[in-house]
Amino acid sequence: MAKITYVEHGGKEHVVDVATGLTVMEGARDNGIPGIEADCGGACACSTCHVYVDPSWVDKLPAKDAMEADMLDFAYEPDPVRSRLTCQIKVTDELDGLRVQMPVKQI
């Protein structure tokens, strides 16, 4: 289980416990977090679960694979360093404390 903080674009924070093995996107969806649409349901096919990872967490996450990097090209205002698709981040105990911020809108 990891405690993850989802920050809406306007600054409102949602701190939730997400079970190990789920994705950060599933944690948002299962807890009704606004700002992560996840239209494709986690198939890495739509980029509507785009977030900006807190700078202190960027190097602690597994690297983006080629498919995620390609999909981020379609995200709204992607950041080359901080942008990630939450459907591609598996929750582990090591992610306890992760902070992600939603963009002003998804695509």
Side-chain angles (χ1 to χ4, degrees):
M1 186 81 57
K3 191 170 296 294
I4 298 177
T5 302
Y6 299 86
V7 183
E8 292 182 43
H9 179 72
K12 183 175 181 183
E13 295 187 3
H14 304 268
V15 181
V16 297
D17 290 320
V18 181
T20 300
L22 294 179
T23 63
V24 175
M25 180 275 295
E26 291 169 319
R29 180 198 62 204
D30 295 351
N31 288 282
I33 306 298
I36 295 181
E37 296 170 14
D39 290 342
C40 73
C44 196
C46 70
S47 74
T48 61
C49 66
H50 169 231
V51 296
Y52 303 110
V53 174
D54 185 274
S56 66
W57 280 92
V58 170
D59 293 332
K60 297 176 186 176
L61 297 177
K64 298 174 212 170
D65 66 15
M67 186 168 59
E68 180 181 2
D70 286 345
M71 283 309 307
L72 282 166
D73 287 341
F74 298 100
Y76 181 76
E77 296 185 346
D79 179 281
V81 175
R82 296 180 53 218
S83 286
R84 293 298 302 263
L85 298 180
T86 56
C87 69
Q88 298 302 296
I89 304 171
K90 283 278 190 193
V91 175
T92 63
D93 292 340
E94 289 76 30
L95 292 188
D96 188 47
L98 175 66
R99 291 179 60 85
V100 296
Q101 181 175 7
M102 279 70 86
V104 64
K105 66 179 183 174
Q106 298 293 346
I107 57 170

